[in-house]
Structure formats: C-alpha cells, structure tokens
Amino acid sequence: MTKLEPQNLPDAAATLAWIATRCDGELERARDLVAGFKAQRPTDSLEALHAWNDIEVALGNAAAAASVYAETNPDGAVRDAADQAMQRIDAFSTDLGLDRDIYEVVTAVDGTGLDPDSSRLLERILRDFHRSGVDRDEQTRERLRDLAQAELLASQEFAKFIREGARSIRVRREDLAGMPDDWMSAHEPDQGGLVTVTTDYPDSIPLMTYCSVASTRRAMTHERLNIAWPQGDEVLQRLLGLRAEHASLLGYDSWADYDAEVKMIGDGGAIAEFIDQISAAAAGSAQRDKAVLVARRRQDVPEATDIDAADLTYYSEVVRKEDYAVDAQLTRTFFAFEKVRQGLLEVTGRLFGLTWRRVDDATLWHGDVTAYDVLQGDERIGRIYLDLHPREGKYKHAAQFVLASGVRGRQLPEGVLVCNFSKGLMEHGEVVTLFHEFGHLIHHVVGGDQQWVRFSGVATEWDFVEAPSQMLEEWAWDADILATFASDADGHTIPPDLVDRMRKADDFGKGFHARTQMFYAALSLGIHRSKPDDLTQAVRETQQKYSVFPYIEDTHFQCAFGHLDGYSSGYYTYMWSLVIAKDMFSAFDHANLFDPEVASRYRDKVLAPGGSDDAADLVADFLGRPYTFDAYAAWLAE
C-alpha cells in the first residue's frame, strides 16, 4: 500500500464539479461494471467475486463523497448537490439488489474451495439479495424499489431539519450567572443588551452545566428538545410508515426484526429483553443517585420533589463539585483544544504503533479542517481529516464518516471525524467524546487492508461498532495518560488526585444514565414496532417507563433524536457495545495502559480484521474466551 495515494480534494470553486465527477463518475463506472457482469456471466467463483467487488468499490466511493460533503461542506448548494447525488446512488443500489439477472449469476456460483474470506463474502452477497426482496414477485419488487427511494428522501429530509435547525434563546447577562469567563467573553450582548445562545453544543452544553439561573436552563432545554419540531414529526411519521411496509413486504413482523436480523442480537424481541435487563440492573443505582440530586435541588427550591432534564446536568455538576471536590470549571482549564488534539494523536499513536503526519498542503473543504497521513512504520496506510468545530449547515453531533474504504493494493482508507467542539477550553466530557469518535477512525484505517471492500474498516455487525470506541474512552480517564497533554495556561499538569476524584464523580449517576439510555433505546425500538399515531405521547410513555426523570411538557424529543435516522430501531447498540467494551478492557493492565503486548494483540485481533469475521469471534480470539456480562455488571454495581 506504500505507493497508493489519497484523493485530491477540490478547492471551493471546483467542488460542485468534483461532486459530479466523483459521485456520478463512480456511479457510471458501477453501471458499466454491472453491464459487463451481466454480459460475461462469470461462472468461476473468484472471478465473479472480484467483479462484484469492483462494483461495490465504485458504489462505495460515490456514496462516501456524497455523505461527507452533504454533512460538512459550508456551501448549501454543494450540500444539496451531494444529497441529490446520494439519491441517484441509492436508487441504483436498490435496483442492483432487485436485479434478477445479477442474482441468477451469483446463485449459480459454486463456492466450493473458496478461502474463508471469499466464502464469507459470497454468503453475505446472497443474504443481501434475499433481504432486498429479489426473490419476490415483480409487483413486490417494484414496490420495494419505490419504498427504498422514499425512505432515503425522508431520511435526508429528517437529517436536514436537524442539521439546519439550530435554535436559540436571547437573555440578559445577569441571566447567565455562573458561566465561565471565557464563555462569556465569546458571547457579547447585542445593542439591545441581550446575549444570543444557540443550541449548538459549544453554546448549550456549558450553559446547561454551569448557569445557575433555572429559568435560563429551562428555556434552553425547551429549545434543545424541540429542534426540528414540528416539521420533523411529519417526516418521521412518514419514515416509520415506509419502513414498516418495507419490512412487512419481506415477511418480517416489524422493521426492528428486519434490522436486527444482521446484527449480533438477532431479532427485535431480544432487543426488548436486553433493554429490560439493563434497566433492572441499573434500577437501584439510578434511584439512589437521583435522590441525591433531588435533595441537593431542594436546598435551593425547598418545595422541590423531583428533578428533570432542565436541572439534571446543572445539579449533577453541583453534586460533583460539593461531594467529590471536582469543579468542572477548574477541570476544563487543563483541556485546551490544541493540546488535547495533539495529545490524542500522541496517545493513540503510541498505543497502536502509528504515526499521524500532518499534511499542510492538503486541499480541504473548510479552514478548520486538518488532514493527517497515517503511517505504520514507514508505510502510509491511510489518511484522516479532523473537522472538529461547529459552523452553520454542518452536521450537529459527533461521528466518523468514510471518505474512501481501504482496498488492498487499490486505494487507501480515508476517514473524516466530524465534531462540534470549542476552539478554546474543552469540558472533560468532550475530551472523552473526542477519544471515542477517534476510535472509529482508527478502526476504519487499521481495518482497511482488506481484499474485499465489504469487510474494510468498521464493517462488523452494527451493534459491535461502538465497542472499540467505548473502550478507547478509558484512556481519557487515566491519570498518567492525561498527564502527557493536560496542562493549564501556566503549564501545570493536571493533578493525579484530581483525576481520581473525577473518576469517582463520573461514577455518580451511571445508573440513571443507563436508564436514560434505555429510554432512548426503548423509544427507537418501540416506535418501529408499533408505529404510534402520536409520537410525542410515545416519548412521554416510554420516558415514564424507563427513565427516572419526568417528561417536560411541550417538548418533542423525537424530532431532535437524529439517531432515529441512521440507527432506526437500533439505538440499543450503544449499551450492547458498552457491555462488550467493558469486557475487552478487562484484558488490559490498568496500571499500564500502554502495555505493548496487549495493545498490539487487540489491534491485530479486533481492529485489523475489519468485518472479515463475526464480532463475537473477534472478541473471543482477543480475550481467549467468549465475552460475558460480568465486567459491565461489576462496573455498574461499584
């Protein structure tokens, strides 16, 4: 892979034309390859698989460019063009999955004698064809084709409402009491004496954490929980209906069952059982820690009998400061963004035997973006892009996007990390998030040396993909590791005893956090199983059952819940992955997280194989045994 070169990305003036060249050009190449596949009708198994792989590489390249530029480009015209390109790509992919001629060629292939990777690929191709409905009658196939296109359009519309739906409040400076000085300096009042605070993360998260004025926090909470309301509600209802019909035409009881079939968990019923298992395990801890919050709030509001999302983050911070001697406003002074980014690169480089070499002459889509070549020894094995600060029209959350999937001898893996952090001081929780999301980039690059693009990078079952990233969070909690990059403006390194108190403070609330996550998981599952007429009522009822915090009137969380798009009914995967992450982390020496033997074994046995084996087998190969619930249960009970 040494001689492979990353893509040459366009400058601003050439971006629209590049979208057409990259997206539609690769799509046209895929069309030609499909035509050739049909004409030649290869019977040799490896010849057929290589031909199929070529088609998937072309489609993947087209879709990757469309996805990244739709979510990150500062030009609305480019974002729209990328969305439209994705519609054409998705329509072609749907047609391909329903193409009986292609299906007949593939089913005629004799897989006898194939190596394990090739045999696995053939099995996955046949499974995908079956799940696409290619073996259904013509009328059903036509309806499935229409549904797939309509689902994509609804998904894009829902995501766009959230992406472009930033809201704000305008308040007096005195209504921002408790906010850090650097935050206040970045939020000057307008001519009318009012400060505008948006729902974007660098604005709203500090406000919810530090602002001592309850009415300000409540106003922001309403805006955060009403992003994309009411437009998003209609789109989401439409999307749920389309998914339900899609699953029914393929013979599944619900979309949740269809979606779960190709995940570790297997079916929708097992998801419900898992949600209840976690909820039960977390019940005692959740109620215990909630009682602490209510008692503390009662000191300020004597008549208080409960606490909700408007006060939860603030009083959690108060308790951590008063009971655990952890002041987040002090803690954040050790986490200047530039130092954190460099520290992240140095820590992960040492851990995984990689070098991140900055590419200063790379052409990028925005001035905030930085590019790095990824080296293993002297060999370049990929390129990454870090797009870490908010701007108008950009993806609002945190995620890793594929810009190119690695294919052995053909193309380098390229990935994009998209987050929304301040350029100044970071909350420690944001540092943890950065480590988490960077874990996906590492998985994408290290797992990118694959013959078959289907198995490249983060290509395991979807309910495992978060586990490596969740495990990497642990390195953002280790005192020795933090000491390598966490220092204040005077150069003082973060004290080990402060990190110890931070860990203990972080354990506070893990029970009610788990219950909140199960509320989200149960909501994503439930609305895909029953498709309720009133989604807000579904939020209310599900929150009452699973969360220990009450619903806030006149809010519509479903419209701000972007995971209902990409994750659909599978939000449970975060907690499912966390169970596995805790077990994998148990293999490391907690006194020496840089232990090269364990780290290299983990890299080679879990990350490097990509999706070439089942996740459960990858984990068992690393641990020397099947994964269990034990490590997670012990952590939850601490």
Side-chain angles (χ1 to χ4, degrees), residues 345 348-350 352-356 374-376 381 442 446 603:
L345 297 174
T348 54
R350 178 180 172 187
F352 295 110
L354 303 172
T355 300
W356 314 96
V374 187
L375 307 180
Q376 192 164 0
I381 64 170
I442 294 170
V446 172
R603 180 196 64 205

Side-chain angles (χ1 to χ4, degrees), residues 356-408:
W356 314 96
R357 184 175 64 196
R358 183 157 176 166
V359 185
D360 291 322
D361 60 351
T363 302
L364 305 166
W365 54 90
H366 191 274
D368 285 344
V369 183
T370 52
Y372 297 83
D373 280 338
V374 187
L375 307 180
Q376 192 164 0
D378 295 328
E379 181 182 11
R380 178 168 56 191
I381 64 170
R383 177 170 286 186
I384 63 169
Y385 300 85
L386 304 183
D387 187 349
L388 302 180
H389 307 300
R391 59 180 174 272
E392 185 178 354
K394 180 188 164 186
Y395 182 77
K396 295 299 183 188
H397 305 295
Q400 182 254 330
F401 290 83
V402 173
L403 190 56
S405 293
V407 184
R408 186 176 302 147

Side-chain angles (χ1 to χ4, degrees), residues 312-330:
L312 173 60
T313 305
Y314 174 76
Y315 279 103
S316 294
E317 172 61 20
V318 169
V319 167
R320 292 183 180 109
K321 184 176 181 179
E322 295 178 351
D323 294 2
Y324 296 91
V326 175
D327 182 351
Q329 292 207 44
L330 169 64

Side-chain angles (χ1 to χ4, degrees), residues 519-534:
F519 153 47
Y520 299 159
L523 179 67
S524 80
L525 175 67
I527 63 176
H528 280 92
R529 296 180 91 184
S530 64
K531 194 186 171 299
D533 293 332
D534 187 337

Side-chain angles (χ1 to χ4, degrees), residues 51-69:
W52 182 263
N53 194 51
D54 290 343
I55 295 169
E56 288 203 317
V57 169
L59 277 177
N61 287 343
S67 177
V68 168
Y69 277 74

Side-chain angles (χ1 to χ4, degrees), residues 25 27-37 55 92:
L27 179 57
E28 190 59 34
R29 189 166 76 88
R31 292 187 195 279
D32 292 342
L33 290 168
V34 169
F37 190 87
I55 295 169
F92 178 79

Side-chain angles (χ1 to χ4, degrees), residues 521-568:
L523 179 67
S524 80
L525 175 67
I527 63 176
H528 280 92
R529 296 180 91 184
S530 64
K531 194 186 171 299
D533 293 332
D534 187 337
L535 291 175
T536 300
Q537 183 61 23
V539 169
R540 184 196 301 267
E541 292 174 355
T542 308
Q543 184 167 354
Q544 183 177 5
K545 181 176 180 180
Y546 288 99
S547 174
V548 296
F549 303 110
Y551 167 79
I552 295 178
E553 292 298 328
D554 193 32
T555 62
H556 310 274
F557 169 66
Q558 72 276 9
C559 294
F561 192 11
H563 288 82
L564 292 175
D565 173 23
Y567 278 71
S568 68

Side-chain angles (χ1 to χ4, degrees), residues 7-21:
Q7 299 174 68
N8 290 317
L9 300 181
D11 60 23
T15 301
L16 271 175
W18 182 85
I19 288 292
T21 301

